[in-house]
Amino acid sequence: LHLLPMLLLLLRDETSDVRLSVISNLGAINDVIGVELLSQSLLPAIVDLSEDPKWRVRLAIIEHIPMLAEQLGIDFFTDKLSNLCMVWLGDDIYTVRRAASENLKKLVNLFGGNWSIDTMMPRIDRLHVHTNYLHRMTSLYVIQALIKVLNNEQQETYLLPTVNTLCTDHVPNVRFTAAKTLGMIHNSLNNSNSKKGQHAKACESIYTLLMKMTTDTDRDVRYFSRKALEEI
């Protein structure tokens, strides 16, 4: 307990690297004094770091989020910090947005697919209809990450409809990223762990859509659609 006042002071330090150092050692701190005593003081520090002008600091705190989630627990994390994970998806820096997408995959590994459906999918649904095409692209990056951790039924029900919609987006970059994502979903639905024919209809619809996209007006969309077809 003698360490607690010092840690609380460090969490309010004006230097972001100091605050980040405390958070990065949360596992060890938890072993000594318990994270419950620190949890409320952690929130302001995490929020400050998430908004730091230096993108590398924002990236660093994202990389620590899965560890924080494990230490803080599903209820506290969902209530207090899950919204931050979605804010990062709209960051101005591409590297931060991609890290935020991978972060969601790690959280699903930790908390389970149902947590993702209940907590994250409503926000991803809003992201994929955003007026800024970069946000729509990011929704596809998130889906690509979630393909690796959601079961096939969840992929077909919750991910595939969103990707199908973005295949007709007016921005070519979104369309060819959607084509890549369709190929990934097809291969996941059609893998050896699925019951034979269980997702045949979905796979057929993906194949048909990719074939249609090979005649797209944009050459990059045509290229990645053909590439996706080759891979399936």
Side-chain angles (χ1 to χ4, degrees):
L1 289 179
H2 294 294
L3 293 174
L4 186 58
M6 184 185 300
L7 290 170
L8 294 177
L9 186 63
L10 291 172
L11 283 171
R12 293 191 294 270
D13 195 277
E14 62 181 18
T15 303
S16 58
D17 288 343
V18 173
R19 285 173 275 144
L20 188 61
S21 180
V22 175
I23 290 171
S24 67
N25 288 284
L26 186 61
I29 294 170
N30 187 29
D31 292 339
V32 177
I33 66 173
V35 74
E36 293 81 6
L37 293 173
L38 267 178
S39 57
Q40 293 301 326
S41 298
L42 280 170
L43 285 175
I46 294 169
V47 171
D48 285 346
L49 290 168
S50 74
E51 299 171 347
D52 196 277
K54 300 175 183 176
W55 70 267
R56 293 186 186 278
V57 173
R58 301 197 299 277
L59 181 64
I61 190 62
I62 291 173
E63 292 171 348
H64 290 303
I65 283 295
M67 178 271 295
L68 284 168
E70 185 174 9
Q71 297 291 337
L72 295 171
I74 186 170
D75 292 334
F76 185 93
F77 182 86
T78 301
D79 183 44
K80 304 295 185 182
L81 291 175
S82 61
N83 188 58
L84 272 183
C85 298
M86 303 308 297
V87 171
W88 286 317
L89 294 173
D91 197 274
D92 292 337
I93 303 298
Y94 170 81
T95 304
V96 174
R97 296 196 300 272
R98 289 308 299 259
S101 301
E102 288 299 313
N103 173 59
L104 293 184
K105 180 185 73 174
K106 295 174 183 177
L107 291 175
V108 174
N109 266 331
L110 181 63
F111 293 146
N114 289 335
W115 176 84
S116 169
I117 300 305
D118 295 338
T119 306
M120 296 299 176
M121 285 311 300
R123 304 178 193 187
I124 294 170
D125 285 341
R126 293 195 294 271
L127 198 65
H128 97 276
V129 295
H130 199 281
T131 53
N132 187 329
Y133 86 95
L134 293 175
H135 290 256
R136 301 197 298 277
M137 289 277 287
T138 300
S139 73
L140 289 168
Y141 299 147
V142 174
I143 288 172
Q144 289 175 2
L146 293 181
I147 289 169
K148 302 170 186 176
V149 290
L150 295 184
N151 64 43
N152 287 349
E153 287 70 28
Q154 291 168 331
Q155 291 176 42
E156 182 176 348
T157 302
Y158 297 102
L159 304 186
L160 185 56
T162 298
V163 182
N164 287 342
T165 299
L166 292 173
C167 286
T168 57
D169 195 274
H170 67 276
V171 177
N173 286 32
V174 176
R175 296 201 300 278
F176 73 63
T177 304
K180 294 179 186 178
T181 311
L182 278 181
M184 294 171 66
I185 293 177
H186 181 285
N187 289 338
S188 180
L189 297 180
N190 200 39
N191 67 25
S192 59
N193 294 324
S194 299
K195 294 179 181 178
K196 188 171 180 61
Q198 184 177 7
H199 301 284
K201 187 175 181 180
C203 290
E204 183 179 349
S205 70
I206 290 172
Y207 182 86
T208 301
L209 183 50
L210 284 172
M211 284 294 296
K212 182 178 180 181
M213 294 178 75
T214 61
T215 63
D216 193 274
T217 55
D218 184 87
R219 67 179 183 179
D220 288 331
V221 177
R222 296 195 299 270
Y223 170 80
F224 284 108
S225 299
R226 288 193 294 267
K227 188 172 178 61
L229 284 168
E230 291 172 2
E231 292 174 354
I232 66 177

